[in-house]
Amino acid sequence: MVSFADQLLVLVMLINFIMLGSSRLAFAIRAVAVQGVVLGIIPGLLHPFSGHLLAITVSIILAKGMVIPYLINDAVRKAQIRREVEPFLGYVPTLLLGAVFTALAFVFAQKLPLAPEHRDLLFVPASIATLMTGFLILTTRKKAISQVIGYLVLENGIFIFGLLLAEAMPFMVEAGALLDLLVGIFVMGIVINHISREFSSVDTSRLQALREE
Amino acid sequence: MIHLLVLLPLLGGLTAWLIPSNRLRPLLLPAIALPHLALSLYLIASATPAQHGGWIWLDPLGKITLLAISTLFCVCAVYAVGYLAYRQERSNRVLCLGLLVCLAAMSLVTLCQHLGLLWVAVETTTVSMAPLIYFNRNARSIEATWKYLLICSVGIALALLGLLFLAYATHVAHQDATLLLPDLLEDARLLNRGWLHAAFIFLLVGYGSKLGLAPLHTWKPDAYGEAPGLVGALLAGGLVNCAFLAILRVYQVCLASVAELLFFQQVLVGLGLLSMAVAAIFMARQHDFKRMLAYSSVEHVGILAIGLGIGKGALFGVLFHLINNGLTKGVLFLSSGNIHRSYGGKTTEIVQGALTRLPWSGGLFLAGFIAITGSPPFSPFVSEFSIVSSIFVERRYLVGGLFLLFLAVIFIGMALTVLPMVMGSPRTDLGKSEYHDRLLTVGPPLVMLLVIVWLGVWPPEALLQLLKDGAAMLEVRP
């Protein structure tokens, strides 16, 4: 089962590249939803069945696979935008950077003092690579919605690391974290909606009224 | 009993959402805040068992933070009734709901003995505060909200990664990962150095961005500048205290691990000095007095970080300063809210002669300025003095010298903004304002100012004992 989890993690990393390379927002949102669902399945492969596990799996798939994509799609629809037109950094350079970061993540993970049973698994490199992808999207895209997607990918990267420690994160904490993420995205969606109404665009590069003279 | 601290404001939030009347709804804020303060004082005064294994427990550090938060919120709640009476054109449903949910989350922060739960509570304060910054609903406030939301969310996410590293360190050490504070403290010596190191860096960056330590402070001037006065007060006195308590918990783990303490302390001193320097640079020639208050907040989290980094004798001052800074920021933000309302602007070009136009609010703002820059007889003087003297006792002359230099520059910079604001005479072309100083908008900050004087001149014995207990928890025991 653990080897199947590793294959799913490869899929997660491939989705990272899809997101780095795509300019269509609807497509990127669907990709991040698929990534969330894949991540929701993995805990079920690692741990013996229990009510706790079932609850976690169902709530993650529901939240990351359906509710959050719905909220972001809703914001996209209200703001009437389709694609990320002018990123701060082009798609080919970000893809190349993503590849470099992923390679470095593998090198770096080798050097970490991991527990023996985690040494040959993909969890740590996949976590670092996804985290870096999230950062890349956050910093290179102009549209507020792309930044939310970047934040979600970042959160997914952290979640992958958390999979190594399912027993340290009791249900209440995990549920709380998930709920916070949901409410956070909900609030971000509302804010995006207001940004588009106020500036008739969701370009965060237009948010420049506030600075030191 | 202890759960009521969280449940009471949550229930209040639900009620606020259901009350249809915009006029009556704000009355709910003091109706919840006063019992919350009474309950907090009761819990703080009552003796708690020496050690408790559960997730929820009020230790001295939690008590100090709870005291600061509950007092500040109570004063802001009473002020909100008077303030919102002027803002009847706008629905205050989300504001009241957000304030009460935030109070619940802040109370939970003070009670947590499980670092995971603490993280959830801190994240909840971030999310619940975001709609409040956007209360004025204009282009500038939405920009501030977006920056706040994005920077703090990403910061808090990194703190979660730090927590996972910490849990992983315990996993590597004994195959049984935990984030329960007493357990962590017990076997901190066994933890893997590398993971611990990484954990501290991520936790410091994460909670540091929430705290507003330079260079992670960039959202602060915008959020403080655009939020209504009472939200600014809670940001500067409430959320800062919560984030600092989270850092104190990390500090406790460092303390127990022995190996990492020196590294962590040096980073804290460095970031603290940088924060003070940044505040000093941007405070000079600052025309916007709310943004000036934000840089003052950056300065004071810097002072807290330096004090914590010095340790030993400074710890008492740090914990005392936590309370004093929160209350003084309350006076400043509430009175600056009044001035903003009356003048319809927040730059020194528009605001002149506040003492003539608004004698009470102008006077309170001036007194707050004198207090926050650390002048006697106000209590920030006592806490800042004890931090400075401890720096010199520890023979950190360079740190002490820079500290005093920055304090002096900041004092001059702030005075150059504040004095023209309150002195002189108002511009003649300024129209009449609907706002006048009334008991409900002036009384609360006045009470807070009296408390600051009281704490500065004659601090109650019980409070000093509480601060000593808190400092003892952060001291290196051989």
Side-chain angles (χ1 to χ4, degrees):
Chain A
M1 285 310 239
V2 172
S3 66
F4 187 50
D6 264 1
Q7 285 167 10
L8 287 181
L9 287 174
V10 173
L11 182 63
V12 166
M13 283 189 274
L14 286 177
I15 295 173
N16 288 344
F17 287 112
I18 291 176
M19 261 174 302
L20 283 173
S22 107
S23 68
R24 282 187 52 222
L25 284 173
F27 189 67
I29 294 165
R30 225 170 294 154
V32 83
V34 172
Q35 195 175 49
V37 172
V38 171
L39 290 181
I41 297 169
I42 294 179
L45 301 174
L46 299 178
H47 304 286
F49 180 83
S50 66
H52 169 184
L53 187 70
L54 187 71
I56 291 272
T57 305
V58 170
S59 49
I60 288 173
I61 293 178
L62 266 179
K64 292 198 171 176
M66 297 171 75
V67 182
I68 290 177
Y70 171 78
L71 288 173
I72 308 180
N73 264 323
D74 202 46
V76 169
R77 200 162 33 85
K78 283 186 183 144
Q80 296 181 329
I81 39 164
R82 295 224 152 60
R83 50 201 308 151
E84 167 79 45
V85 200
E86 311 158 24
F88 290 114
L89 194 64
Y91 293 102
V92 178
T94 41
L95 258 177
L96 286 176
L97 268 178
V100 171
F101 282 147
T102 307
L104 284 178
F106 276 88
V107 176
F108 184 63
Q110 291 266 301
K111 301 231 158 105
L112 287 175
L114 292 174
E117 71 271 23
H118 295 150
R119 207 148 276 161
D120 298 320
L121 297 177
L122 277 180
F123 284 91
V124 177
S127 163
I128 301 171
T130 312
L131 197 78
M132 294 312 289
T133 307
F135 254 121
L136 260 181
I137 298 177
L138 256 174
T139 48
T140 58
R141 305 289 154 90
K142 271 185 187 170
K143 293 261 192 285
I145 289 170
S146 303
Q147 292 176 344
V148 175
I149 294 172
Y151 170 62
L152 271 176
V153 175
L154 183 97
E155 191 87 47
N156 280 348
I158 294 169
F159 178 83
I160 298 173
F161 192 87
L163 287 172
L164 293 177
L165 308 146
E167 66 272 33
M169 291 301 256
F171 180 65
M172 247 178 77
V173 172
E174 256 184 89
L178 203 59
L179 193 69
D180 271 335
L181 181 69
L182 251 170
V183 177
I185 300 287
F186 176 67
V187 174
M188 283 180 188
I190 295 172
V191 173
I192 287 174
N193 196 2
H194 283 273
I195 292 178
S196 70
R197 235 187 282 165
E198 197 69 54
F199 297 90
S200 33
S201 121
V202 273
D203 238 346
T204 47
S205 58
R206 294 217 189 161
L207 299 179
Q208 277 179 348
L210 299 175
R211 55 172 145 191
E212 296 305 333
E213 281 98 47
Chain B
M1 194 70 177
I2 211 166
H3 298 94
L4 263 182
L5 273 181
V6 181
L7 290 178
L8 185 72
L10 271 185
L11 280 177
L14 190 67
T15 322
W17 186 256
L18 296 175
I19 290 179
S21 161
N22 213 31
R23 200 176 296 277
L24 292 179
R25 199 181 297 117
L27 290 175
L28 192 68
L29 292 172
I32 296 290
L34 285 167
H36 186 270
L37 179 61
L39 186 62
S40 303
L41 289 176
Y42 170 76
L43 285 172
I44 289 164
S46 64
T48 42
Q51 189 54 282
H52 190 283
W55 284 24
I56 298 273
W57 180 55
L58 199 57
D59 63 6
L61 292 176
K63 282 181 177 179
I64 293 165
T65 321
L66 180 65
L67 183 66
I69 288 169
S70 192
T71 317
L72 179 70
F73 190 89
C74 192
V75 171
C76 288
V78 178
Y79 173 88
V81 177
Y83 172 78
L84 290 174
Y86 286 102
R87 305 299 303 265
Q88 285 301 335
E89 83 281 2
R90 186 150 287 162
S91 168
N92 53 38
R93 178 173 270 167
V94 174
L95 184 82
C96 291
L97 174 74
L99 284 174
L100 288 168
V101 171
C102 196
L103 176 64
M106 290 193 295
S107 309
L108 185 59
V109 169
T110 64
L111 301 177
C112 290
Q113 290 289 309
H114 186 282
L115 295 184
L117 188 63
L118 177 76
W119 181 86
V120 171
V122 172
E123 168 80 13
T124 310
T125 62
T126 306
V127 172
S128 61
M129 213 43 148
L132 311 186
I133 298 172
Y134 185 47
F135 182 67
N136 286 320
R137 298 191 180 269
N138 53 36
R140 295 169 62 88
S141 67
I142 195 133
E143 181 180 339
T145 312
W146 184 251
K147 278 188 189 164
Y148 163 80
L149 202 54
L150 208 64
I151 294 176
C152 286
S153 300
V154 171
I156 297 283
L158 293 181
L160 177 63
L161 191 64
L163 274 189
L164 292 176
F165 285 169
L166 193 58
Y168 200 77
T170 64
H171 178 82
V172 173
H174 50 59
Q175 303 287 315
D176 185 21
T178 177
L179 278 174
L180 207 60
L181 195 61
D183 294 356
L184 268 177
L185 297 183
E186 204 165 286
D187 45 36
R189 279 165 199 264
L190 307 172
L191 301 183
N192 180 293
R193 283 279 203 94
W195 287 109
L196 209 52
H197 218 99
F200 293 141
I201 293 169
F202 277 95
L203 284 166
L204 190 64
V205 168
Y207 289 130
S209 67
K210 177 102 180 144
L211 191 63
L213 276 174
L216 307 158
H217 70 286
T218 45
W219 58 273
K220 235 176 180 179
D222 301 341
Y224 286 25
E226 300 310 316
L230 86 146
V231 176
L234 286 174
L235 279 168
L239 295 207
V240 159
N241 287 0
C242 287
F244 195 70
L245 182 63
I247 297 224
L248 286 181
R249 298 298 187 203
V250 182
Y251 188 85
Q252 278 184 284
V253 179
C254 293
L255 199 63
S257 78
V258 187
E260 291 301 325
L261 188 62
L262 193 64
F263 164 76
F264 193 65
Q265 285 182 328
Q266 279 169 343
V267 175
L268 276 174
V269 170
L271 284 179
L273 283 173
L274 182 66
S275 299
M276 289 185 80
V278 165
I281 291 165
F282 286 99
M283 194 97 84
R285 304 166 62 83
Q286 181 62 254
H287 297 293
D288 183 326
F289 61 82
K290 276 188 164 176
R291 291 178 77 89
M292 178 197 76
L293 292 183
Y295 286 112
S296 168
S297 178
V298 174
E299 174 210 347
H300 285 273
V301 298
I303 292 177
L304 288 173
I306 293 174
L308 196 58
I310 296 293
K312 302 208 178 85
L315 294 168
F316 174 85
V318 166
L319 295 177
F320 198 20
H321 198 63
L322 193 72
I323 298 179
N324 298 335
N325 175 44
L327 297 181
T328 317
K329 282 282 152 43
V331 175
L332 280 163
F333 272 101
L334 297 186
S335 56
S336 76
N338 292 343
I339 296 172
H340 187 181
R341 191 108 292 272
S342 168
Y343 282 82
K346 55 191 178 74
T347 55
T348 40
E349 284 95 63
I350 300 167
V351 182
Q352 285 157 10
L355 270 177
T356 322
R357 190 172 159 104
L358 294 170
W360 283 100
S361 295
L364 278 167
F365 192 75
L366 185 61
F369 153 69
I370 295 168
I372 202 71
T373 46
S375 321
F378 301 102
S379 57
F381 166 74
V382 181
S383 48
E384 271 181 39
F385 184 78
S386 98
I387 293 174
V388 175
S389 61
S390 305
I391 296 176
F392 284 106
V393 167
E394 297 297 320
R395 297 174 186 278
R396 306 283 290 270
Y397 297 114
L398 181 64
V399 177
L402 286 172
F403 189 99
L404 290 177
L405 173 73
F406 293 143
L407 273 189
V409 174
I410 287 167
F411 177 76
I412 296 167
M414 241 179 135
L416 286 176
T417 310
V418 173
L419 294 181
M421 264 177 66
V422 292
M423 303 297 183
S425 51
R427 281 164 54 156
T428 43
D429 56 344
L430 216 59
K432 283 262 177 231
S433 166
E434 47 155 355
Y435 176 82
H436 302 286
D437 278 346
R438 293 231 174 85
L439 183 64
L440 271 175
T441 51
V442 169
L446 186 64
V447 169
M448 203 133 59
L449 190 72
L450 293 177
V451 170
I452 297 164
V453 175
W454 175 42
L455 293 184
V457 179
W458 185 59
E461 198 54 47
L463 177 68
L464 293 179
Q465 189 54 46
L466 181 60
L467 293 170
K468 276 179 202 149
D469 291 347
M473 289 179 71
L474 300 171
E475 260 160 29
V476 184
R477 272 164 297 233

